Amino acid sequence: MTELLTIDGLTKAYPGVVANDDVSFAIGEGEIHALLGENGAGKSTLVKMIYGLVKPDSGHMTLRGAPFEPAEPRAARAAGVAMVFQHFSLFDALNVAENIALGMENPPAQRQLAARIRDVSENYGLPLDPDRTVGDLSAGERQRVEIIRCLLQDPKLLIMDEPTSVLTPQEVEILFTTLRKLSAEGTAILYISHKLEEIRSLCDTATVLRLGKVVDSCNPREKSAAELAEMMVGTKLHVPNRERTEPGDVLLQVTALSLKSANPFGTTLKDISFTVRAGEILGIGGVAGNGQDELLAALSGEAPTPTGCVKLNGDGVGHLGPNPRRKIAILAAPEERLGHAAAPDMSLTENALLTAAIREGLVNRGFLKWPAARGFAERIIQAFDVRTPGPANAARSLSGGNLQKFVIGREVLQRPDVLVVNQPTWGVDASAAAAIRQALLDLAGNGTAVIVISQDLDELLEVSDNFAALNEGRLSTPRPARGLTMEEIGLMMGGAHDLEVAE
Amino acid sequence: MDLSAINPLVLMASIMVAATPILLAAIGELVVEKAGVLNLGVEGMMITGAICGFAIAVETGSPTIGFLAAMAGGAILSLVFGFLTQVLMSNQVATGLALTLFGLGLSALMGQSYVGVKPPATDKLDLGPLADIPVLGRVLFQHDLVVYLSLALVLVVWAVLKYSRAGLILRAVGENHDAAHALGYKVIRIRLMAIAFGGACAGLGGAYLSLVRVPQWTEGMTAGAGWIALAIVVFASWKPGRALLGAYLFGGVTVLQLNLQAAGVAVPVEYLSMSPYLITILVLVIMSADRSRAALNAPASLGRIFHASN
């Protein structure tokens, strides 16, 4: 195999942190190369340097024997490097063709471009209508837009940053078929992920990054997932465990819940019904943008519903706002940490006050009880091992994992009867994720009804008793999580959403 | 009351004159907002343009040079805003308000020696036979260049935003600046150019007030025209065609109520004076009543501070 891209001693430091420290490896032509590492290991910084978004402090790259120093993404694209972003770099209000034109150097006229989009997309089994508005597309379709945008430029190297986090298992299979076809045609793929099974089935080589350094490289097909995880984390991982308890009485009952989204590109909830018993964890899977945010809003009280739609112990609570619901022990932790779950520029004490004032008695006749609030914040910090100098620090100053532990801990310590969490471990490192999952399991063990909304299917299978999937605002009938296969889960999530397999 | 004193032809002709300053400011602000920047300093840029244009026109004796100077003045002032909000990342709302106050004060200072001075007259464009068409000729074809320029500008802005690559990039920057940055577009540079364009348009609109519509210099003579231009942009759902409609509606009601005042209609003057503002806002609110569809056209990054995270 001839070498396409060689990376030699790349270093990039930001104030206070070395994101990449002397990173070297090579990618061969047509090779599918995995870049493996936890959040914060420096994967994103590394690919941003290859794509010309970030300038390395030192080190150099060689592309097909010539020095490669892209000053901007345009230069990288011209050299044959294309990238599919983790958080989609798409424009909701523009249509597919316009979005694709924006990612090209010299796009043809709209009509010719539309024809080419149809051509290429069908050739690779990723059908796309160039005239549709991107905001109306499903997550899988949006990713297709990004991939087609890259393919239209005949890339020599395709960088994919966590491409499967938004796909159903069936869609993942189709994506892999497309990627293998590209690889067979000579396109190298740099595949970034922390999903070990995927890397084992797809990639030829894996380079493992930890804290900005290359710690290992291997052929992932020869390693077990546990071995790869150990390389990535550096230590053995604690696997959450729980004693299975018999679920108690029905605590939360949702009947025929329909809700229009407040967001023009949001999803309308359609006729959702389920029950959660005391001590049960209900896992709700589904691809992002299928009604997760709306469901959380309906359960937390941010979006009021008809009284009878949501019942706690048989009493209708659908009309209550978030604070009355907190009073009767229905608590929630939304997905967006900064700005929704926590106010970024307020201290941890203040953030603790914001949701816990009622249940923890931190307010007296409208006056704040600062010492009590500080005490509560300190209890969260201690109980959940939140790494911060103290409760006076702003929420923004915490790392994602630590803030997530704080946000979840804040709700857990308020002794909820019903707890709803959305994406509890999104962007959190593996050990913090394990701690959060353990906390949810312990909570259920003490008789709380827990609803975990997540896109991480492995996580859901690990913690939940019952599993249901959201697809276009509809919820499938919950089924016992034990014994469910990926295939079955994929079908519950809506299958392949009209994708075809590439020939 | 003597309504017969109102000459419908003169009235309709003066609608175009009255609407032009607001139209210019609104179309400039529309481009700025489409790029994702909320510049509340339109009023300040307009009045700065008004005095820059007025002073230069008086000194040189040429209204054309005056108009150019007004555009330069508006653009320079807007770039102060651009520097503060785009480079130093200050809050756009606060900075825009400050720009309005600054513009009002600066123009008053610059204009001290021009109060009561008469500016050189701006020539009407000679459209030959068109101007001799009965009725239409009087209403549509006996104006100066700036009126036609403003109409052409609406057309150009509409076409550029809809059909050109430059317009697509501008809309992309306003829609999602992080994504535009990730694709390698220079968000800050594009926004600065849009801000300067908006400033030049507002300045030109201001100069049209002081050189043609009034024509003389008084302190605070824009009297809220910049604010109405801002409102028109929002209620026009960021569509150039609707901004044109809004501006002409405002101009029309303004001229009509002035004529009614002169004719001595038995309605208190205060009500007549507020009517253009009320009616324009009301009509545009009704037109944009379908909130979900209006939101689709709103630039999603409007007013948000862009900070390249790497």
Side-chain angles (χ1 to χ4, degrees):
Chain A
M1 205 185 291
T2 47
E3 274 177 6
L4 176 72
L5 176 74
T6 356
I7 290 168
D8 189 17
L10 278 194
T11 298
K12 175 76 195 176
Y14 291 114
V17 57
V18 180
N20 280 147
D21 188 358
D22 194 20
V23 172
S24 307
F25 64 94
I27 303 170
E29 287 191 7
E31 181 189 31
I32 306 186
H33 191 114
L35 198 56
L36 186 61
E38 288 214 80
N39 287 291
K43 294 171 299 185
S44 294
T45 308
L46 181 61
V47 295
K48 278 179 183 165
M49 288 194 280
I50 301 175
Y51 194 59
L53 276 166
V54 174
K55 261 200 165 56
D57 296 338
S58 64
H60 44 87
M61 297 180 273
T62 323
L63 188 73
R64 288 198 263 178
F68 177 58
E69 286 169 358
E72 52 176 354
R74 209 169 293 217
R77 286 200 292 263
V81 177
M83 177 158 167
V84 174
F85 291 87
Q86 176 183 9
H87 299 292
F88 298 117
S89 62
L90 295 179
F91 306 92
D92 279 349
L94 308 183
N95 70 27
V96 170
E98 287 174 329
N99 265 286
I100 289 177
L102 279 167
M104 298 175 73
E105 283 330 304
N106 296 302
Q110 288 280 316
R111 201 168 309 152
Q112 286 157 294
L113 182 63
R116 278 192 66 197
I117 291 169
R118 285 213 177 81
D119 260 17
V120 173
S121 67
E122 256 146 55
N123 194 8
Y124 284 95
L126 309 163
L128 262 185
D129 177 358
D131 297 324
R132 285 186 64 194
T133 303
V134 163
D136 298 331
L137 300 181
S138 76
E141 289 171 314
R142 296 166 66 101
Q143 186 179 54
R144 269 181 256 167
V145 178
E146 293 233 22
I147 296 174
I148 300 294
R149 177 157 77 188
C150 292
L151 295 186
L152 279 175
Q153 317 194 55
D154 275 329
K156 294 288 152 260
L157 174 66
L158 180 62
I159 305 171
M160 305 205 78
D161 193 356
E162 304 268 3
T164 58
S165 53
V166 296
L167 302 182
T168 66
Q170 278 82 356
E171 288 172 332
V172 169
E173 264 319 303
I174 293 165
L175 173 68
F176 283 9
T177 314
T178 305
L179 294 183
R180 290 195 187 103
K181 183 176 177 192
L182 279 170
S183 156
E185 289 170 4
T187 307
I189 294 162
L190 183 59
Y191 188 89
I192 299 158
S193 183
H194 59 256
K195 293 193 178 167
L196 308 167
E197 287 301 339
E198 286 179 0
I199 286 177
R200 290 188 61 230
S201 80
L202 180 72
C203 303
D204 307 313
T205 323
T207 298
V208 186
L209 281 180
R210 190 161 72 223
L211 297 174
K213 289 192 176 113
V214 174
V215 290
D216 216 333
S217 67
C218 62
N219 180 343
R221 293 194 179 114
E222 294 166 356
K223 302 276 178 186
S224 72
E227 283 173 311
L228 288 175
E230 240 182 278
M231 284 181 181
M232 186 167 92
V233 184
T235 52
K236 275 216 177 310
L237 263 184
H238 162 76
V239 179
N241 56 51
R242 74 183 289 195
E243 299 127 50
R244 295 267 156 188
T245 45
E246 277 306 302
D249 300 331
V250 171
L251 266 185
L252 185 78
Q253 183 174 18
V254 175
T255 350
L257 168 69
S258 296
L259 181 70
K260 208 167 155 41
S261 176
N263 175 340
F265 292 117
T267 309
T268 302
L269 297 180
K270 295 167 200 123
D271 197 25
I272 288 183
S273 300
F274 63 87
T275 58
V276 196
R277 293 169 180 278
E280 174 190 340
I281 299 187
L282 172 65
I284 297 184
V287 171
N290 272 296
Q292 284 89 343
D293 294 343
E294 290 79 8
L295 181 60
L296 182 112
L299 294 176
S300 72
E302 280 171 64
T305 61
T307 307
C309 274
V310 184
K311 284 187 183 155
L312 180 72
N313 283 322
D315 301 326
V317 298
H319 61 289
L320 296 178
N323 274 329
R325 286 202 202 187
R326 285 185 185 122
K327 206 169 206 159
I328 54 172
I330 303 180
L331 305 182
E335 171 184 3
E336 178 70 39
R337 283 187 285 268
L338 284 174
H340 195 176
D345 290 318
M346 292 177 92
S347 73
L348 293 180
T349 305
E350 287 165 320
N351 271 298
L353 253 172
L354 285 175
T355 75
I358 300 169
R359 287 190 68 72
E360 294 298 312
L362 305 179
V363 175
N364 181 16
R365 294 162 195 263
F367 286 94
L368 304 177
K369 295 204 249 175
W370 282 112
R374 208 169 296 124
F376 180 61
E378 272 160 6
R379 258 200 318 145
I380 303 170
I381 291 170
Q382 185 142 48
F384 283 81
D385 188 26
V386 180
R387 311 273 163 82
T388 171
N393 281 60
R396 190 193 288 285
S397 67
L398 270 64
S399 73
N402 277 312
L403 184 58
Q404 188 67 26
K405 284 197 275 187
F406 182 83
V407 166
I408 299 276
R410 179 178 67 182
E411 308 305 326
V412 167
L413 285 186
Q414 291 179 53
R415 297 160 275 102
D417 288 339
V418 175
L419 178 66
V420 189
V421 293
N422 189 4
Q423 295 275 56
T425 60
W426 172 252
V428 168
D429 61 88
S431 51
I436 289 171
R437 284 174 201 153
Q438 186 64 55
L440 295 175
L441 288 169
D442 292 345
L443 193 66
N446 291 331
T448 300
V450 182
I451 299 172
V452 180
I453 306 172
S454 176
Q455 284 152 46
D456 186 341
L457 295 176
D458 297 325
E459 165 174 274
L460 290 177
L461 291 182
E462 196 172 293
V463 299
S464 29
D465 299 304
N466 289 307
F467 176 88
L470 270 173
N471 180 26
E472 292 174 1
R474 289 197 176 79
L475 189 73
S476 68
T477 319
R479 294 166 60 175
R482 216 173 255 191
L484 274 183
T485 63
M486 273 295 164
E487 172 90 41
E488 288 169 314
I489 290 175
L491 290 175
M492 288 166 88
M493 285 163 71
H497 291 113
D498 77 8
L499 279 161
E500 303 159 8
V501 178
E503 286 136 31
Chain B
M1 183 170 74
D2 180 17
L3 285 178
S4 63
I6 300 175
N7 177 344
L9 286 186
V10 174
L11 181 90
M12 282 164 71
S14 52
I15 287 176
M16 292 186 81
V17 176
T20 297
I22 293 155
L23 179 61
L24 282 165
I27 204 74
E29 178 68 10
L30 188 143
V31 169
V32 177
E33 292 193 14
K34 267 291 180 194
V37 180
L38 181 64
N39 185 353
L40 294 182
V42 180
E43 179 86 1
M45 300 185 303
M46 270 186 99
I47 195 137
T48 306
I51 186 58
C52 287
F54 191 87
I56 298 296
V58 167
E59 299 304 332
T60 62
S62 156
T64 312
I65 297 177
F67 282 124
L68 290 174
M71 290 169 71
I76 289 168
L77 193 66
S78 73
L79 284 175
V80 173
F81 170 87
F83 178 72
L84 288 170
T85 57
Q86 303 305 307
V87 183
L88 302 182
M89 288 186 275
S90 69
N91 179 297
Q92 295 183 4
V93 171
T95 313
L97 289 173
L99 193 74
T100 286
L101 296 175
F102 176 65
L104 287 169
L106 181 72
S107 62
L109 181 70
M110 285 166 69
Q112 276 188 335
S113 53
Y114 291 97
V115 179
V117 177
K118 198 173 155 14
T122 307
D123 294 329
K124 305 266 186 254
L125 202 60
D126 184 11
L127 290 169
L130 280 179
D132 301 330
I133 302 173
V135 185
L136 277 186
R138 181 82 177 85
V139 175
L140 294 177
F141 300 116
Q142 293 189 15
H143 294 290
D144 50 84
L145 185 64
V146 180
V147 171
Y148 303 112
L149 194 71
S150 70
L151 293 172
L153 200 60
V154 173
L155 199 68
V156 169
V157 165
W158 170 77
V160 165
L161 283 179
K162 194 166 162 79
Y163 295 111
S164 79
R165 180 158 174 85
L168 179 61
I169 292 170
L170 184 92
R171 281 188 290 143
V173 166
E175 177 62 26
N176 184 344
H177 49 217
D178 294 319
H181 174 75
L183 288 176
Y185 294 107
K186 304 263 181 270
V187 173
I188 291 176
R189 192 185 302 167
I190 291 163
R191 286 192 167 161
L192 283 175
M193 290 194 302
I195 289 169
F197 174 80
C201 285
L204 184 61
Y208 193 77
L209 268 180
S210 63
L211 288 176
V212 180
R213 168 122 166 78
V214 176
Q216 58 171 324
W217 166 252
T218 47
E219 242 176 69
M221 66 182 297
T222 44
W227 295 110
I228 211 75
L230 268 165
I232 283 173
V233 174
V234 176
F235 292 119
S237 310
W238 295 272
K239 290 183 177 140
R242 286 199 189 179
L244 176 72
L245 182 96
Y248 271 72
L249 188 69
F250 182 81
V253 183
T254 306
V255 171
L256 187 67
Q257 66 92 5
L258 283 175
N259 277 283
L260 289 176
Q261 277 187 36
V265 175
V267 177
V269 172
E270 290 80 1
Y271 288 108
L272 287 173
S273 306
M274 73 170 82
S275 61
Y277 300 89
L278 280 179
I279 293 174
T280 307
I281 300 272
L282 205 67
V283 169
L284 290 166
V285 164
I286 292 167
M287 280 177 62
S288 59
D290 187 350
R291 259 180 61 220
S292 55
R293 283 192 48 208
L296 278 180
N297 212 26
S301 291
L302 184 61
R304 279 173 39 211
I305 293 176
F306 171 71
H307 176 56
S309 60
N310 41 59

